[in-house]
Amino acid sequence: EQRILAVEGGRTLPLDLRLRVPTGVVSVVTEPPGAEVVIDGEARGRSPVEVELPLGQHSYAITLAGSEPVKGVLNLNQEFKTLRVKGEPQTGIVMVSTIPHGATVYANGEQVGATTPTSFRRSVGAHTLTITLSGYRPVQRRIEVPADGSTISVNERLSAQ
């Protein structure tokens, strides 16, 4: 803090100064957006987010849904810093078999794998499977791919039309 004062000889002048810690702003941008941002052990919201912090070293953990947390240390030595993180979504294996074999499998409307029996990877979370085979009734099944990496098995006996 710097001030210019004019004081008459022999007099005193009270002066109240409040020193501020220099700060900067960290902008956290993730792909996809919506990651939980923790800086110095404190939740700071979901990305994209801007956080004002004192200059210096800070630890961070950024958690994207379905991904391992990204952890690190950032050194804020300027007024503004952008931290960009791209997530690699976790996936699980889905195995589908049918009686009779040879059915086509769709996940969320997109054809996946070869004809049954087949296996394919899907991102963690809910998916709708549709299983079709000419001459048989289509089967629709909702599955949940868990974050623990376990394999989901779907076994269907198809009914003739």
Side-chain angles (χ1 to χ4, degrees):
E1 181 78 26
Q2 186 176 21
R3 294 199 184 163
I4 298 174
L5 302 172
V7 181
E8 294 178 19
R11 303 222 35 192
T12 60
L13 180 66
L15 181 61
D16 184 21
L17 294 176
R18 295 181 197 264
L19 300 178
R20 294 183 320 142
V21 174
T23 62
V25 174
V26 175
S27 174
V28 180
V29 179
T30 63
E31 188 180 313
E36 182 64 35
V37 177
V38 175
I39 299 177
D40 296 333
E42 183 180 333
R44 306 296 181 136
R46 296 199 173 274
S47 67
V49 65
E50 289 188 351
V51 181
E52 185 174 0
L53 298 167
L55 297 183
Q57 265 194 350
H58 301 276
S59 63
Y60 65 86
I62 299 170
T63 307
L64 291 157
S67 295
E68 291 295 316
V70 174
K71 296 179 180 182
V73 175
L74 68 91
N75 191 16
L76 185 59
N77 55 11
Q78 56 195 30
E79 290 179 12
F80 192 83
K81 184 172 195 130
T82 300
L83 183 60
R84 295 185 188 281
V85 175
K86 182 174 181 175
E88 296 298 326
Q90 286 181 332
T91 60
I93 296 174
V94 179
M95 295 176 58
V96 180
S97 62
T98 60
I99 296 175
H101 298 311
T104 303
V105 180
Y106 298 86
N108 306 322
E110 171 192 348
Q111 186 175 340
V112 291
T115 57
T116 60
T118 187
S119 64
F120 51 90
R121 290 195 163 276
R122 293 312 289 176
S123 60
V124 169
H127 300 278
T128 301
L129 299 183
T130 304
I131 303 167
T132 63
L133 181 62
S134 180
Y136 293 84
R137 289 190 196 114
V139 173
Q140 201 166 60
R141 186 112 177 254
R142 188 128 171 102
I143 62 165
E144 185 78 27
V145 176
D148 66 6
S150 57
T151 299
I152 300 293
S153 292
V154 176
N155 301 301
E156 289 292 334
R157 182 177 296 273
L158 303 178
S159 300
Q161 288 184 334

PDB file of all heavy atoms in Angstrom, residues 110-126:
ATOM      1  N   GLU A 110     -27.979 -47.238 -31.622  1.00  0.00           N
ATOM      2  CA  GLU A 110     -26.788 -47.401 -32.461  1.00  0.00           C
ATOM      3  C   GLU A 110     -26.393 -48.875 -32.487  1.00  0.00           C
ATOM      4  O   GLU A 110     -26.251 -49.497 -31.436  1.00  0.00           O
ATOM      5  CB  GLU A 110     -25.643 -46.556 -31.875  1.00  0.00           C
ATOM      6  CG  GLU A 110     -24.303 -46.791 -32.498  1.00  0.00           C
ATOM      7  CD  GLU A 110     -23.171 -46.153 -31.675  1.00  0.00           C
ATOM      8  OE1 GLU A 110     -23.446 -45.357 -30.755  1.00  0.00           O
ATOM      9  OE2 GLU A 110     -22.016 -46.487 -31.964  1.00  0.00           O
ATOM     10  N   GLN A 111     -26.221 -49.429 -33.704  1.00  0.00           N
ATOM     11  CA  GLN A 111     -25.832 -50.830 -33.801  1.00  0.00           C
ATOM     12  C   GLN A 111     -24.447 -51.028 -33.209  1.00  0.00           C
ATOM     13  O   GLN A 111     -23.533 -50.243 -33.458  1.00  0.00           O
ATOM     14  CB  GLN A 111     -25.839 -51.303 -35.257  1.00  0.00           C
ATOM     15  CG  GLN A 111     -25.574 -52.794 -35.370  1.00  0.00           C
ATOM     16  CD  GLN A 111     -25.690 -53.312 -36.783  1.00  0.00           C
ATOM     17  OE1 GLN A 111     -26.304 -52.673 -37.629  1.00  0.00           O
ATOM     18  NE2 GLN A 111     -25.105 -54.462 -37.035  1.00  0.00           N
ATOM     19  N   VAL A 112     -24.309 -52.080 -32.382  1.00  0.00           N
ATOM     20  CA  VAL A 112     -23.034 -52.353 -31.716  1.00  0.00           C
ATOM     21  C   VAL A 112     -22.651 -53.814 -31.911  1.00  0.00           C
ATOM     22  O   VAL A 112     -23.509 -54.680 -32.029  1.00  0.00           O
ATOM     23  CB  VAL A 112     -23.092 -52.031 -30.200  1.00  0.00           C
ATOM     24  CG1 VAL A 112     -23.211 -50.536 -29.966  1.00  0.00           C
ATOM     25  CG2 VAL A 112     -24.248 -52.757 -29.528  1.00  0.00           C
ATOM     26  N   GLY A 113     -21.349 -54.079 -31.918  1.00  0.00           N
ATOM     27  CA  GLY A 113     -20.853 -55.449 -31.992  1.00  0.00           C
ATOM     28  C   GLY A 113     -21.285 -56.163 -33.257  1.00  0.00           C
ATOM     29  O   GLY A 113     -21.869 -55.589 -34.169  1.00  0.00           O
ATOM     30  N   ALA A 114     -20.957 -57.455 -33.304  1.00  0.00           N
ATOM     31  CA  ALA A 114     -21.398 -58.318 -34.400  1.00  0.00           C
ATOM     32  C   ALA A 114     -22.735 -58.915 -33.978  1.00  0.00           C
ATOM     33  O   ALA A 114     -23.304 -58.518 -32.962  1.00  0.00           O
ATOM     34  CB  ALA A 114     -20.351 -59.407 -34.630  1.00  0.00           C
ATOM     35  N   THR A 115     -23.212 -59.892 -34.735  1.00  0.00           N
ATOM     36  CA  THR A 115     -24.449 -60.541 -34.308  1.00  0.00           C
ATOM     37  C   THR A 115     -24.159 -61.422 -33.102  1.00  0.00           C
ATOM     38  O   THR A 115     -23.016 -61.793 -32.842  1.00  0.00           O
ATOM     39  CB  THR A 115     -25.056 -61.375 -35.453  1.00  0.00           C
ATOM     40  OG1 THR A 115     -24.093 -62.332 -35.886  1.00  0.00           O
ATOM     41  CG2 THR A 115     -25.468 -60.475 -36.610  1.00  0.00           C
ATOM     42  N   THR A 116     -25.201 -61.731 -32.355  1.00  0.00           N
ATOM     43  CA  THR A 116     -25.033 -62.494 -31.106  1.00  0.00           C
ATOM     44  C   THR A 116     -24.544 -63.909 -31.380  1.00  0.00           C
ATOM     45  O   THR A 116     -24.901 -64.491 -32.406  1.00  0.00           O
ATOM     46  CB  THR A 116     -26.361 -62.550 -30.330  1.00  0.00           C
ATOM     47  OG1 THR A 116     -27.347 -63.177 -31.131  1.00  0.00           O
ATOM     48  CG2 THR A 116     -26.786 -61.181 -29.878  1.00  0.00           C
ATOM     49  N   PRO A 117     -23.718 -64.429 -30.475  1.00  0.00           N
ATOM     50  CA  PRO A 117     -23.218 -63.795 -29.248  1.00  0.00           C
ATOM     51  C   PRO A 117     -22.178 -62.731 -29.581  1.00  0.00           C
ATOM     52  O   PRO A 117     -21.365 -62.894 -30.487  1.00  0.00           O
ATOM     53  CB  PRO A 117     -22.597 -64.960 -28.474  1.00  0.00           C
ATOM     54  CG  PRO A 117     -22.214 -65.955 -29.520  1.00  0.00           C
ATOM     55  CD  PRO A 117     -23.196 -65.784 -30.649  1.00  0.00           C
ATOM     56  N   THR A 118     -22.204 -61.644 -28.830  1.00  0.00           N
ATOM     57  CA  THR A 118     -21.297 -60.531 -29.082  1.00  0.00           C
ATOM     58  C   THR A 118     -20.983 -59.800 -27.788  1.00  0.00           C
ATOM     59  O   THR A 118     -21.686 -59.957 -26.790  1.00  0.00           O
ATOM     60  CB  THR A 118     -21.900 -59.547 -30.117  1.00  0.00           C
ATOM     61  OG1 THR A 118     -20.929 -58.563 -30.469  1.00  0.00           O
ATOM     62  CG2 THR A 118     -23.136 -58.848 -29.567  1.00  0.00           C
ATOM     63  N   SER A 119     -19.926 -59.015 -27.805  1.00  0.00           N
ATOM     64  CA  SER A 119     -19.599 -58.150 -26.662  1.00  0.00           C
ATOM     65  C   SER A 119     -19.102 -56.820 -27.198  1.00  0.00           C
ATOM     66  O   SER A 119     -18.582 -56.740 -28.321  1.00  0.00           O
ATOM     67  CB  SER A 119     -18.553 -58.800 -25.754  1.00  0.00           C
ATOM     68  OG  SER A 119     -17.338 -58.966 -26.440  1.00  0.00           O
ATOM     69  N   PHE A 120     -19.281 -55.784 -26.404  1.00  0.00           N
ATOM     70  CA  PHE A 120     -18.881 -54.429 -26.806  1.00  0.00           C
ATOM     71  C   PHE A 120     -18.708 -53.586 -25.558  1.00  0.00           C
ATOM     72  O   PHE A 120     -19.150 -53.956 -24.472  1.00  0.00           O
ATOM     73  CB  PHE A 120     -19.925 -53.809 -27.752  1.00  0.00           C
ATOM     74  CG  PHE A 120     -21.335 -53.887 -27.241  1.00  0.00           C
ATOM     75  CD1 PHE A 120     -21.864 -52.876 -26.462  1.00  0.00           C
ATOM     76  CD2 PHE A 120     -22.125 -55.000 -27.518  1.00  0.00           C
ATOM     77  CE1 PHE A 120     -23.156 -52.958 -25.969  1.00  0.00           C
ATOM     78  CE2 PHE A 120     -23.425 -55.093 -27.032  1.00  0.00           C
ATOM     79  CZ  PHE A 120     -23.942 -54.073 -26.264  1.00  0.00           C
ATOM     80  N   ARG A 121     -18.050 -52.451 -25.704  1.00  0.00           N
ATOM     81  CA  ARG A 121     -17.833 -51.520 -24.590  1.00  0.00           C
ATOM     82  C   ARG A 121     -18.871 -50.407 -24.653  1.00  0.00           C
ATOM     83  O   ARG A 121     -19.198 -49.915 -25.732  1.00  0.00           O
ATOM     84  CB  ARG A 121     -16.440 -50.911 -24.655  1.00  0.00           C
ATOM     85  CG  ARG A 121     -15.356 -51.908 -24.354  1.00  0.00           C
ATOM     86  CD  ARG A 121     -14.028 -51.176 -24.073  1.00  0.00           C
ATOM     87  NE  ARG A 121     -13.118 -52.068 -23.408  1.00  0.00           N
ATOM     88  CZ  ARG A 121     -13.093 -52.299 -22.102  1.00  0.00           C
ATOM     89  NH1 ARG A 121     -13.928 -51.679 -21.315  1.00  0.00           N
ATOM     90  NH2 ARG A 121     -12.232 -53.141 -21.569  1.00  0.00           N
ATOM     91  N   ARG A 122     -19.332 -49.998 -23.456  1.00  0.00           N
ATOM     92  CA  ARG A 122     -20.224 -48.854 -23.325  1.00  0.00           C
ATOM     93  C   ARG A 122     -19.755 -48.025 -22.146  1.00  0.00           C
ATOM     94  O   ARG A 122     -19.151 -48.540 -21.201  1.00  0.00           O
ATOM     95  CB  ARG A 122     -21.683 -49.286 -23.061  1.00  0.00           C
ATOM     96  CG  ARG A 122     -22.380 -49.996 -24.194  1.00  0.00           C
ATOM     97  CD  ARG A 122     -22.275 -49.363 -25.537  1.00  0.00           C
ATOM     98  NE  ARG A 122     -23.031 -48.146 -25.705  1.00  0.00           N
ATOM     99  CZ  ARG A 122     -22.982 -47.431 -26.816  1.00  0.00           C
ATOM    100  NH1 ARG A 122     -22.228 -47.788 -27.817  1.00  0.00           N
ATOM    101  NH2 ARG A 122     -23.685 -46.353 -26.927  1.00  0.00           N
ATOM    102  N   SER A 123     -20.077 -46.752 -22.184  1.00  0.00           N
ATOM    103  CA  SER A 123     -19.705 -45.863 -21.080  1.00  0.00           C
ATOM    104  C   SER A 123     -20.517 -46.195 -19.834  1.00  0.00           C
ATOM    105  O   SER A 123     -21.605 -46.768 -19.922  1.00  0.00           O
ATOM    106  CB  SER A 123     -19.917 -44.401 -21.475  1.00  0.00           C
ATOM    107  OG  SER A 123     -21.270 -44.181 -21.785  1.00  0.00           O
ATOM    108  N   VAL A 124     -19.970 -45.834 -18.687  1.00  0.00           N
ATOM    109  CA  VAL A 124     -20.647 -46.061 -17.416  1.00  0.00           C
ATOM    110  C   VAL A 124     -21.980 -45.326 -17.422  1.00  0.00           C
ATOM    111  O   VAL A 124     -22.083 -44.202 -17.901  1.00  0.00           O
ATOM    112  CB  VAL A 124     -19.750 -45.563 -16.250  1.00  0.00           C
ATOM    113  CG1 VAL A 124     -20.511 -45.521 -14.947  1.00  0.00           C
ATOM    114  CG2 VAL A 124     -18.514 -46.436 -16.138  1.00  0.00           C
ATOM    115  N   GLY A 125     -23.018 -45.996 -16.920  1.00  0.00           N
ATOM    116  CA  GLY A 125     -24.336 -45.373 -16.842  1.00  0.00           C
ATOM    117  C   GLY A 125     -25.402 -46.235 -17.488  1.00  0.00           C
ATOM    118  O   GLY A 125     -25.174 -47.393 -17.841  1.00  0.00           O
ATOM    119  N   ALA A 126     -26.575 -45.637 -17.656  1.00  0.00           N
ATOM    120  CA  ALA A 126     -27.735 -46.355 -18.179  1.00  0.00           C
ATOM    121  C   ALA A 126     -27.742 -46.372 -19.703  1.00  0.00           C
ATOM    122  O   ALA A 126     -27.373 -45.375 -20.339  1.00  0.00           O
ATOM    123  CB  ALA A 126     -29.015 -45.713 -17.668  1.00  0.00           C
TER     124      ALA A 126
END
